Amino acid sequence: MTGRVDGPDKVTGRARYAFEHQVEGAAYAWAVPSVIARGTIRSVDAARALALPGVLTVLTPDNAPRLPGTDDPELALFQSREVAYRGQFVAAVVAGTLEVAREAAEGVVIEYDQAPHDVVLTADHPGLYKPDFVNPRYETDTAAGDFDGAFAAAAVRVDATYRTPAEHNHPMEPHATVASWRGDTLTVYDATQGPSRTAGQVAAVFGLEPGQVRVIAEHVGGGFGAKGMPRANVILAALAARVTGRPVKCAVTRPQMFAVTGHRAPSIQRMRLGAGPDGRLTALCHDVIGQTSTLKEFTEQSAVATRHMYAAPHRRTTHRVVRLDVPTPSWMRAPGECPGMFALESAMDELAEACGIDPVELRLRNEPAVHPETGQPFSSRHLTACLLQGAARFGWAGRDPAPGTRRAGNPRGRWLTGTGVAASTYPARAMPSQARVTVSPSGRYQVLIAAADIGTGARTALLVVAAEALGVPAAAIDLRIGDSALPPAMIAGGSMGTASWTWAVIKACRALRDQVRARDGAVPPGGLSARADTTADIGALPARARYAFGAQFAEVRVDADTGEVRVPRLLGVFAAGRIVSPAQARSQLIGGMTMGLSMALHEESAMDPQFGDYPNHDLAGYHIAAHADVQDIDAVWIDEDEPDLGPAGAKGIGEVGIVGTAAAIASAVYHATGIRVRDLPIRLDMRSRRSRPRAATTCAWAVTSAWSTGPWTWPS
Ligand code: MOS
């Protein structure tokens, strides 16, 4: 067990986050957001703002420097008068202090020609279309066999529609940048998951060579995908620094994060499962409807996990998307798998009930021998082991499947109880990365890679593998990460950081170790170094289906009077390759499960159709699970070694923990109450009259129709 190497820096406050970097003569940029969801800027009157002492400039579409690279319209800041969504940055004040910039921003008067907006996703929206691919580059639709025929002929059928709301990532550290220019080179301290990628993209926006932009991210307070790509704050800080000739600091406020830093798009997902009486799937179809913005296409790939989870000869997956006048959706922890597996795993629970088969057993019966759509072998697949080990640890055996019959403690008490299970999965991949390792004559090692530690424990994991590969104690190694001036590396995203970076680091370390050994340990006065690049190794990977798997078990209690749901127990059992750094891995996995609990019970960015915005745009209105919501939560893993993805044998753990949690909790709520919740978050007190408990269960809240969820209130 290794402690987190940056733990002392974090708890003592020595660790610096982007905004905290001290730069000489800093100015501050404060963005002005659009107050309309669609239309054109007619005029910007900055006179009042400019009259405030300390204001350096007001950037608007009229005066902002033209940007040569506008491939990403979210980064083409102030390049157009068109407004694509409410909250889009349309101007900014730069001033000598943060307070003056903020005050002056209130005085910028913008007149708009407002156009009618369309911000509500519906299953029959006339604008729905088939995108060319879904995030990041998956096929939009797949099909095998004759789904319609097989479904019609199936002995047991489930046909149900599940909905997930818009959700926002909300890392603890909001997006922030400090930018300064020296001639034509730009240095930014940025809250990013990927210094190399951000440097490349920012350089492209300003028409520079990648080497002209340096991105430093020593410590990053979470990301969950929101910091996987540069956002408007980087461009704003760099533009403002260019115009004023001073270093500029720019922090995105929590309310602004609801607009400009990405979110998980809402989904409407129809699942159809056809099976024999023995529960074996014959037909499987997952149809997904989602939304993107008018600026940029991002289609959440919610049906992709359905392509590899279960065997079924007749199958189909589809994605349709509509462009709405909403902020651009983006990556949020397990984009695709997370909302998609809520639908698939909930439907599997419904099928288990329809067949009268235990839900663990149902999944075992539908294990595929090879990838059900491509026929590729799995590099390793241990879902069965996860389910069986989880069932044993959780105490699943002998579970009475009858819903709505158990009360905690006193049989006449108010807490209904139930348990649920769901599978989890996430792709296992690695992306090309480079690393450099040096050793000095005194025996000090340096390991250099532009990785990012966004709170995951990456520093610790890299130090563990470097020490092992070099055959020296970790104390002899200085690890440098979080700087695009270091050898370029994959972002901390897609659960690919560990596999990608350890591959390059171990390769470089072994090469250096061989050099040192060849000289019998004598390091010349100039030292020795080795460099590794994994591009060719990754290009030569055999065609295999590579995924991490897991099994999530949940116990819930539901207050029969108020509908309040508590989750006293969560257990996740994962198969994710070799676990490089156990203490950090456990933290990542229970973090993912906690975020899944949060998704199940709390998280919803509610769209106000009248203003075209999220009115609950702060952490008071957008509730995220807190410590009090989390009770007995545990994550364990089985021994597994991924054979393909580099010498560490790791598959990645950043995302598999969140996948399936919400389905396990929703299934447990069904088991407790007899009410099948197919739309997240689970709010039994808000149920509309379409849900009724089974006759056997009478609960005050479930038969109340006073809680209307019509179209003008919060979507249910
Ligand atoms: Mo993760 S959503 O790929 O950073």
Side-chain angles (χ1 to χ4, degrees):
M1 216 44 102
T2 307
R4 193 174 288 252
V5 296
D6 44 9
D9 282 349
K10 287 183 169 167
V11 297
T12 57
R14 273 198 307 269
R16 282 176 304 176
Y17 293 80
F19 201 79
E20 297 171 327
H21 285 273
Q22 302 289 335
V23 287
E24 194 80 27
Y28 295 83
W30 193 278
V32 180
S34 161
V35 297
I36 64 166
R38 182 168 162 246
T40 309
I41 296 168
R42 194 190 310 148
S43 64
V44 182
D45 179 357
R48 242 178 74 202
L50 287 166
L52 268 186
V55 171
L56 301 170
T57 189
V58 177
L59 294 168
T60 74
D62 297 324
N63 65 10
R66 296 300 94 189
L67 294 169
T70 53
D71 287 357
D72 182 344
E74 285 285 351
L75 300 182
L77 214 57
F78 316 139
Q79 303 297 294
S80 152
R81 307 179 81 82
E82 298 302 311
V83 173
Y85 56 85
R86 195 170 196 272
Q88 188 178 7
F89 289 177
V90 289
V93 175
V94 191
T97 68
L98 184 71
E99 292 77 9
V100 168
R102 179 181 188 169
E103 170 71 14
E106 296 291 325
V108 177
V109 180
I110 302 180
E111 289 191 19
Y112 300 91
D113 290 319
Q114 187 171 2
H117 59 249
D118 180 4
V119 293
V120 178
L121 178 67
T122 55
D124 56 355
H125 196 290
L128 285 165
Y129 68 96
K130 178 183 171 185
D132 291 340
F133 55 85
V134 297
N135 175 64
R137 279 271 160 189
Y138 284 107
E139 276 181 279
T140 304
D141 296 355
T142 60
D146 167 24
F147 167 76
D148 294 309
F151 184 69
V156 185
R157 284 190 293 270
V158 170
D159 181 349
T161 297
Y162 303 86
R163 289 163 197 265
T164 60
E167 295 157 1
H168 280 76
N169 312 46
H170 288 310
M172 213 186 290
E173 178 204 21
H175 291 62
T177 308
V178 182
S180 51
W181 291 88
R182 178 170 298 201
D184 275 337
T185 64
L186 172 67
T187 301
V188 300
Y189 295 95
D190 189 42
T192 178
Q193 292 173 229
S196 304
R197 176 179 295 187
T198 292
Q201 284 185 243
V202 172
V205 171
F206 286 92
L208 302 170
E209 297 300 319
Q212 289 174 276
V213 177
R214 181 174 174 193
V215 175
I216 300 166
E218 275 181 21
H219 293 280
V220 180
F224 310 118
K227 295 174 185 164
M229 63 186 79
R231 304 290 182 183
N233 51 292
V234 191
I235 306 304
L236 173 51
L239 267 180
R242 189 65 147 176
V243 169
T244 60
R246 289 170 63 166
V248 170
K249 292 188 163 195
C250 173
V252 181
T253 67
R254 189 64 67 180
Q256 289 171 349
M257 287 178 70
F258 280 80
V260 298
T261 62
H263 66 282
R264 196 194 297 287
S267 74
I268 302 171
Q269 306 179 55
R270 183 180 183 193
M271 292 293 329
R272 279 174 288 175
L273 307 182
D278 60 356
R280 283 181 215 282
L281 288 164
T282 53
L284 172 56
C285 181
H286 191 170
D287 296 309
V288 177
I289 286 169
Q291 73 185 37
T292 187
S293 72
T294 60
L295 273 188
K296 202 169 152 181
E297 186 185 271
F298 176 95
T299 310
E300 182 116 2
Q301 71 273 32
S302 299
V304 298
T306 301
R307 296 173 184 168
H308 74 262
M309 282 304 293
Y310 301 114
H314 306 284
R315 50 200 306 140
R316 188 159 76 212
T317 62
T318 69
H319 296 88
R320 297 294 176 268
V321 70
V322 57
R323 288 183 180 272
L324 299 177
D325 304 306
V326 295
T328 304
S330 176
W331 300 324
M332 177 162 162
R333 205 171 199 170
E337 283 80 9
C338 181
M341 287 286 280
F342 167 65
L344 174 61
E345 292 302 294
S346 294
M348 286 295 279
D349 199 68
E350 299 203 39
L351 180 66
E353 187 188 37
C355 294
I357 295 173
D358 179 82
V360 170
E361 172 62 22
L362 178 76
R363 288 169 173 89
L364 302 181
R365 284 189 194 177
N366 286 290
E367 266 289 290
V370 294
H371 189 294
E373 297 198 0
T374 66
Q376 285 172 351
F378 289 99
S379 63
S380 51
R381 176 176 170 123
H382 291 111
L383 173 57
T384 296
C386 294
L387 286 161
L388 292 175
Q389 197 186 115
R393 278 176 176 263
F394 190 78
W396 187 264
R399 173 184 184 260
D400 172 7
T405 56
R406 287 155 303 277
R407 304 244 172 184
N410 176 359
R412 298 165 67 94
R414 52 195 275 199
W415 290 99
L416 291 156
T417 71
T419 52
V421 64
S424 172
T425 188
Y426 196 75
R429 297 169 293 206
M431 293 290 270
S433 297
Q434 300 179 27
R436 200 168 104 88
V437 187
T438 66
V439 60
S440 70
S442 66
R444 274 302 313 150
Y445 288 81
Q446 264 208 322
V447 174
L448 310 169
I449 181 167
D453 191 329
I454 62 171
T456 57
R459 267 191 183 81
T460 311
L462 289 176
L463 210 53
V464 167
V465 300
E468 200 176 280
L470 288 166
V472 303
I477 302 171
D478 298 313
L479 171 70
R480 285 190 54 209
I481 65 168
D483 185 341
S484 68
L486 299 168
M490 171 60 187
I491 67 165
S495 299
M496 284 183 265
T498 301
S500 306
W501 305 327
T502 56
W503 198 334
V505 165
I506 294 172
K507 199 177 165 186
C509 287
R510 287 181 182 169
L512 185 71
R513 184 197 57 192
D514 292 347
Q515 285 185 47
V516 173
R517 282 191 186 159
R519 295 165 169 269
D520 286 327
V523 178
L528 292 170
S529 74
R531 196 174 177 114
D533 182 342
T534 60
T535 308
D537 307 271
I538 288 169
L541 278 176
R544 290 212 179 103
R546 297 185 191 89
Y547 303 91
F549 290 94
Q552 307 266 16
F553 290 81
E555 179 185 328
V556 304
R557 289 183 175 196
V558 182
D559 187 311
D561 296 322
T562 66
E564 177 187 351
V565 180
R566 307 292 296 170
V567 182
R569 200 152 62 101
L570 274 182
L571 169 69
V573 180
F574 299 96
R578 188 185 147 219
I579 300 302
V580 173
S581 184
Q584 283 68 39
R586 185 183 133 79
S587 169
Q588 274 279 71
L589 291 167
I590 65 175
M593 292 165 68
T594 303
M595 205 162 165
L597 180 157
S598 195
M599 172 192 190
L601 300 188
H602 306 304
E603 293 190 38
E604 174 177 21
S605 302
M607 177 53 78
D608 177 336
Q610 191 170 359
F611 287 95
D613 201 353
Y614 303 109
N616 60 332
H617 61 191
D618 57 35
L619 294 184
Y622 183 96
H623 190 68
I624 292 174
H627 280 175
D629 294 301
V630 179
Q631 297 178 39
D632 176 358
I633 181 168
D634 199 9
V636 297
W637 46 85
I638 63 164
D639 285 333
E640 192 182 63
D641 192 11
E642 163 57 40
D644 294 340
L645 294 177
K651 278 184 174 175
I653 47 171
E655 284 152 294
V656 72
I658 191 175
V659 178
T661 315
I665 291 171
S667 297
V669 165
Y670 175 76
H671 190 225
T673 64
I675 295 176
R676 184 67 72 175
V677 179
R678 301 189 181 92
D679 47 356
L680 296 182
I682 299 165
R683 280 194 301 233
L684 294 167
D685 56 327
M686 298 282 278
R687 300 298 296 164
S688 65
R689 65 205 81 172
R690 67 197 138 87
S691 296
R692 297 270 184 168
R694 306 189 149 216
T697 316
T698 46
C699 316
W701 38 269
V703 292
T704 299
S705 59
W707 296 95
S708 163
T709 51
W712 289 94
T713 59
W714 293 22
S716 65

